[in-house]
């Protein structure tokens, strides 16, 4: 069985990618299993300068889902380059540097820096709901998505993945804009904006009031968006949103994903990435599928 | 490696006070690794509807058995109470209390409400502990005999005076400071109590460790959702309760 996939020229040992923000820089899950087992790690969203993040509480559970408002706490791109790349490079999994900025210049500067170091792909997060400046504001307007992709493209010497926001009325418009701007791949979805209220205190549960929803409850939305985007662009798609088992992963492949990311499921089951890969293999065995890439877009709509 | 996901036999669950459940699980490895102040990250039921585990402190260890006591609060703990057979537990997680065998000659242990439970395991590992345990009322009093066995002396308080000494446990600790030379204070309880303990200990110049609570995702340090504010600057401003804590030296945290 061939689990290898190629995304924008980069070959992954298998199509399971740990989703940004749920896996840190790999240290903690690396204490539980060999990181060679995952295809790639999309690291915690990096910003130009270090960021302390939002005040707590930053997370709560809602039926079938998780709301978070971490607010991009990270050590900054320079510390990532110096301290984290050498650690991750001990493993065969690919490194996806996830970038978040407040201005076009932030993204350009990070893309330039990261293109000069030993990472494999860049993932431009223009859809983070948890920061005030930039973030989601860039990801919801197709014209801005086109402009920012085109601008950052010039500085990115590595394959550039644009991570799309689900908080839009028509995701195919932002997807097409990213394609026209020169993206090499698309990843979707980021979290859906949401909130939770404590009726006893009459206050929002998250200190940031609003957070990003992920987990099993967003899966139907994510799947629909992957399906629509697959039918409207010619770029490889990295699908995500609520994937927690092999069946979920297969659904995302059928809808058009070339690889998938696993986020919230890591919290439920720290071994989720490995388990989902194995369950995907079982499906392939049962269905006599030799290459996992043969599954991409095999949805039958009568 | 310290933590692991264990499938534990759920030996018993018993309501020991209104909405307070004492649970015992069997797992030799988990029991062998557990240290006071560490917690268990427990899958409380159907993972699709409840993607997050719930953090519950280790209350006691006997042989290959581990005890935790929890208050039935919301969806997770309600579902946990219905479980039987086996439990999926990630643990032991976190940075527990500094016991430093013999270093502290006169340790004070203070627990309030659900913060009393983790202090039993700690008290059992200390020599000469002076324990202060506070409950809201008589109905909620638990572990009295266990503390009496484990500590040199125990002061039990209830907020409403329905049992033991009326008032807050910290007030009793403060009074005893006139006669006792505590060289460390260990505390766990509601935020208001921890704030008061911190202020008192720092004022009196007594080293103090606090066990904090925060909402959590991964439980192992990867997701940065469980942050508490510290006195550090920059990216160290928020630390991870699940990994850097849940136990912190009082000077390090802002409550
Ligand atoms: C390190 C640590 C140790 C703990 N030890 C104990 C213990 O020994 N006994 C005990 O009764 N309780 C303990 N708690 C509190 C316990 O985790 C919460 O009461 C429990 O998670 C509530 O879950 P729920 O589904 O019943 O409530 P819900 O309100 O329905 O939970 C919704 C979400 O919020 C989280 N949450 C709600 N309240 C808290 C809280 N106070 N702390 C952390 N997360 C919360 C839940 O985990 C869940 O993700 C501890 C908490 C921490 C952080
Ligand atoms: C706690 C948490 C932190 C996240 N941080 C980031 C981030 O820094 N950058 C990013 O692009 N996405 C971030 N995400 C979004 C995830 O990468 C993913 O897009 C989303 O959670 C949907 O997938 P899931 O349902 O499998 O979690 C975060 C998600 C969670 C739950
Ligand atoms: S719960 Fe994930 S870092 Fe603490």
């Amino acid at each position: 069985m061939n689990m290898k996939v190629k995304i924008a020229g980069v070959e992954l040992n298998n199509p399971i990618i740990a989703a940004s923000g749920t896996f840190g820089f790999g240290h903690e899950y690396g204490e539980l299993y060999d990181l060679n087992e995952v295809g790639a790690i999309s690291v915690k969203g990096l910003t130009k300068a270090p960021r302390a993040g939002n005040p707590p509480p930053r997370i709560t559970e809602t039926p079938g889902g998780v709301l978070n408002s971490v607010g991009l706490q990270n050590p900054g791109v320079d510390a990532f380059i110096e301290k984290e790349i050498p650690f991750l490079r001990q493993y065969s999994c690919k490194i996806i540097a996830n970038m978040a900025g407040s201005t076009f210049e932030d993204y350009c500067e990070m893309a330039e820096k990261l293109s000069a170091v030993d990472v494999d792909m860049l993932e431009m997060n223009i859809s983070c709901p948890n920061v005030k400046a930039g973030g989601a504001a860039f990801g919801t307007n197709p014209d801005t998505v086109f402009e920012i992709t085109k601008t950052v493209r010039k500085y990115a010497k590595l394959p550039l993945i644009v991570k799309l926001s689900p908080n839009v009325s028509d995701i195919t418009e932002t997807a097409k804009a990213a394609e026209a701007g020169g993206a090499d791949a698309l990843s979707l979805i980021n979290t859906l904006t949401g909130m939770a209220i404590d009726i006893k205190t009459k206050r929002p549960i998250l200190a940031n009031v609003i957070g990003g929803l992920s987990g099993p409850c967003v899966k139907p939305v994510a799947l629909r968006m992957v399906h629509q985007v697959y039918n409207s662009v010619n770029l490889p798609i990295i699908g995500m949103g609520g994937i927690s088992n092999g069946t979920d992963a297969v659904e995302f492949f059928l809808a058009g994903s070339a690889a998938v990311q696993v986020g919230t499921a890591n919290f439920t089951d720290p071994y989720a990435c490995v388990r989902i890969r194995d369950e995907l293999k079982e499906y392939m065995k049962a269905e006599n599928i030799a290459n996992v890439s043969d599954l991409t877009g095999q949805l039958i709509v009568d | 490696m310290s933590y692991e996901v264990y499938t534990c036999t759920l030996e018993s669950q018993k309501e020991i006070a209104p909405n307070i459940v004492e649970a015992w699980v069997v797992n030799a490895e988990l029991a062998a690794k557990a240290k006071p102040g560490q917690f268990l990250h427990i899958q409380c039921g159907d993972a699709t509807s409840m993607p997050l585990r719930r953090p519950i402190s280790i209350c006691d260890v006997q042989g290959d058995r581990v005890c935790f006591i929890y208050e039935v609060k919301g969806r997770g703990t309600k579902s946990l109470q219905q479980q039987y057979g086996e439990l999926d537990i990630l643990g032991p997680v976190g940075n527990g209390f500094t016991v430093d065998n013999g270093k502290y000659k006169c340790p004070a242990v203070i627990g309030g409400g659900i913060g009393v439970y983790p202090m039993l395991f700690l008290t059992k590992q200390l020599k000469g502990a002076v324990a202060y345990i506070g409950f809201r009322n008589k109905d909620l009093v638990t572990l009295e005999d266990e503390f009496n066995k484990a500590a040199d002396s125990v002061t039990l308080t209830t907020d409403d005076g329905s049992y033991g000494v009326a008032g807050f446990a910290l007030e009793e600790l403060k009074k005893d400071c006139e006669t006792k030379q505590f060289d460390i204070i260990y505390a766990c309880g509601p935020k208001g109590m921890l704030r008061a303990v911190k202020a008192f200990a720092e004022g009196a110049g007594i080293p103090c460790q606090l066990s904090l609570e925060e909402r959590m995702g991964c439980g192992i340090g990867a997701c940065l959702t469980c942050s508490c504010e510290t006195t550090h600057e920059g990216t160290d401003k928020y630390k991870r309760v699940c990994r850097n804590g849940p136990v912190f030296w009082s000077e390090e945290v802002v409550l």
Side-chain angles (χ1 to χ4, degrees):
Chain A
M1 232 177 299
N2 180 13
M3 295 301 281
K4 291 200 159 93
V5 292
K6 215 171 198 174
I7 312 249
V10 178
E11 191 179 74
L12 276 55
N13 286 337
N14 70 65
I16 310 296
I17 304 170
S20 176
T22 63
F23 213 78
F25 299 106
H27 298 278
E28 296 79 15
Y29 289 97
E31 287 177 336
L32 288 170
Y33 62 84
D34 186 347
L35 297 178
N36 291 321
E37 306 265 330
V38 293
I41 295 173
S42 176
V43 302
K44 175 64 199 170
L46 303 166
T47 51
K48 205 174 84 175
R51 267 181 77 99
N54 290 328
R58 293 176 173 183
I59 190 166
T60 193
E61 188 186 81
T62 57
V66 166
L67 270 175
N68 92 84
S69 59
V70 172
L72 292 170
Q73 177 178 345
N74 82 98
V77 69
D78 295 326
F80 165 73
I81 291 171
E82 191 190 321
K83 299 201 184 108
E84 305 298 345
I85 297 178
F87 168 76
L88 287 166
R89 263 300 167 245
Q90 300 169 276
Y91 302 96
S92 63
C93 61
K94 299 295 183 223
I95 306 173
I96 302 177
N98 182 288
M99 315 179 286
S102 322
T103 63
F104 275 36
E105 291 73 35
D106 284 356
Y107 284 103
C108 294
E109 202 182 312
M110 281 192 281
E112 192 169 34
K113 269 190 185 165
L114 289 162
S115 293
V117 297
D118 195 10
V119 297
D120 300 290
M121 302 175 107
L122 306 178
E123 182 172 49
M124 183 162 71
N125 173 11
I126 47 170
S127 44
C128 183
N130 291 327
V131 288
K132 290 203 174 63
F138 290 136
T140 47
N141 178 329
D143 296 335
T144 322
V145 172
F146 170 75
E147 284 302 328
I148 197 167
T149 310
K150 196 174 135 210
T151 312
V152 175
R153 174 73 279 170
K154 291 184 214 137
Y155 295 86
K157 306 282 178 268
L158 293 169
L160 180 66
I161 307 164
V162 174
K163 186 164 181 177
L164 301 179
S165 170
N167 304 307
V168 292
S169 47
D170 183 355
I171 194 149
T172 64
E173 284 184 21
T174 42
K176 284 186 217 153
E179 183 178 42
D184 298 301
L186 300 176
S187 59
L188 62 147
I189 58 173
N190 207 318
T191 52
L192 286 145
T193 47
M195 80 184 274
I197 295 174
D198 181 335
I199 61 165
K200 282 205 189 108
T201 61
K202 299 193 174 70
R203 284 176 171 77
I205 291 178
L206 300 177
N208 193 51
V209 183
I210 287 171
L213 186 66
S214 62
C217 66
V218 308
K219 198 190 87 179
V221 178
L223 209 50
R224 182 264 293 176
M225 289 186 166
V226 168
H227 169 68
Q228 288 179 316
V229 169
Y230 182 71
N231 287 332
S232 56
V233 301
N234 280 313
L235 294 176
I237 296 169
I238 302 172
M240 77 192 93
I243 298 177
S244 32
N245 54 47
T247 308
D248 295 340
V250 172
E251 290 173 30
F252 275 81
F253 281 101
L254 295 176
S257 305
V260 293
Q261 291 192 13
V262 174
T264 303
N266 293 304
F267 303 166
T268 320
D269 171 11
Y271 293 94
C273 288
V274 182
R275 177 177 49 79
I276 292 168
R277 182 204 58 190
D278 293 344
E279 290 170 354
L280 177 60
K281 272 191 193 165
E282 276 167 37
Y283 173 82
M284 289 168 62
K285 198 169 156 202
E287 298 281 320
N288 251 318
I289 297 161
N291 302 298
V292 68
S293 54
D294 293 341
L295 268 174
T296 303
Q298 291 307 300
L299 178 75
I300 301 163
V301 183
D302 295 317
Chain B
M1 183 219 313
S2 50
Y3 50 87
E4 187 48 89
V5 178
Y6 294 107
T7 305
C8 302
T9 308
L10 180 53
E11 190 186 73
S12 65
Q13 291 215 80
K14 193 172 117 202
E15 193 164 337
I16 53 170
N19 276 323
I20 305 290
V21 177
E22 175 181 318
W24 284 90
V25 294
V26 186
N27 188 289
E29 245 182 273
L30 182 66
K33 288 181 186 171
K35 293 198 193 74
Q38 288 190 305
F39 65 95
L40 309 172
H41 213 26
I42 305 174
Q43 184 65 61
C44 293
D46 174 45
T48 310
S49 73
M50 287 187 294
L52 294 183
R53 292 166 179 269
R54 301 295 191 267
I56 307 282
S57 298
I58 298 166
C59 169
D60 198 3
V61 173
Q62 289 180 12
D64 59 0
R65 299 154 72 240
V66 179
C67 171
F68 57 90
I69 300 183
Y70 62 96
E71 180 187 3
V72 179
K73 256 182 79 182
R75 291 184 331 123
T77 46
K78 277 188 189 124
S79 168
L80 180 58
Q81 196 182 11
Q82 308 304 317
Q83 301 300 306
Y84 56 90
E86 285 175 338
L87 264 193
D88 175 324
I89 295 178
L90 169 61
V93 259
N95 203 356
F97 292 104
T98 307
V99 174
D100 265 357
N101 256 334
K103 179 169 175 196
Y104 301 108
K105 305 288 180 221
C106 189
V109 172
I110 174 166
I114 60 168
V116 167
Y117 316 139
M119 302 321 257
L120 178 63
F121 190 23
L122 171 70
T123 303
K124 284 177 121 183
Q125 299 211 350
L126 294 170
K127 279 191 202 78
V130 181
Y132 301 86
I133 52 178
F135 301 90
R136 225 177 308 139
N137 56 49
K138 185 178 178 198
D139 287 348
L140 291 168
V141 171
T142 48
L143 302 178
E144 190 184 1
D145 293 345
E146 286 80 355
F147 271 97
N148 277 326
K149 259 183 239 155
D152 258 27
S153 79
V154 181
T155 305
L156 193 156
T157 65
T158 51
D159 298 356
D160 65 357
S162 51
Y163 191 75
V165 182
F168 291 138
L170 178 61
E171 295 313 311
E172 300 309 306
L173 186 156
K174 281 183 187 170
K175 279 183 211 157
D176 286 354
C177 272
E178 286 163 20
T179 51
K180 292 191 166 81
Q181 298 281 313
F182 293 125
D183 50 6
I184 187 161
I185 298 175
Y186 302 100
C188 185
K191 207 165 208 170
M193 179 194 117
L194 294 184
R195 231 178 250 141
V197 171
K198 173 178 156 75
F200 170 72
E202 287 170 10
I206 305 170
C208 174
Q209 287 198 317
L210 308 171
S211 180
L212 305 189
E213 252 184 38
E214 195 44 77
R215 289 170 187 256
M216 293 182 176
C218 69
I220 58 174
C223 72
L224 311 181
T225 56
C226 61
S227 304
C228 67
E229 194 179 337
T230 71
T231 48
H232 304 284
E233 298 289 319
T235 47
D236 273 348
K237 179 173 177 204
Y238 293 112
K239 285 207 170 187
R240 300 163 296 180
V241 170
C242 73
R243 195 174 186 101
N244 307 115
V247 177
F248 292 90
W249 289 101
S250 69
E251 286 100 353
E252 197 182 358
V253 290
V254 180
L255 294 177

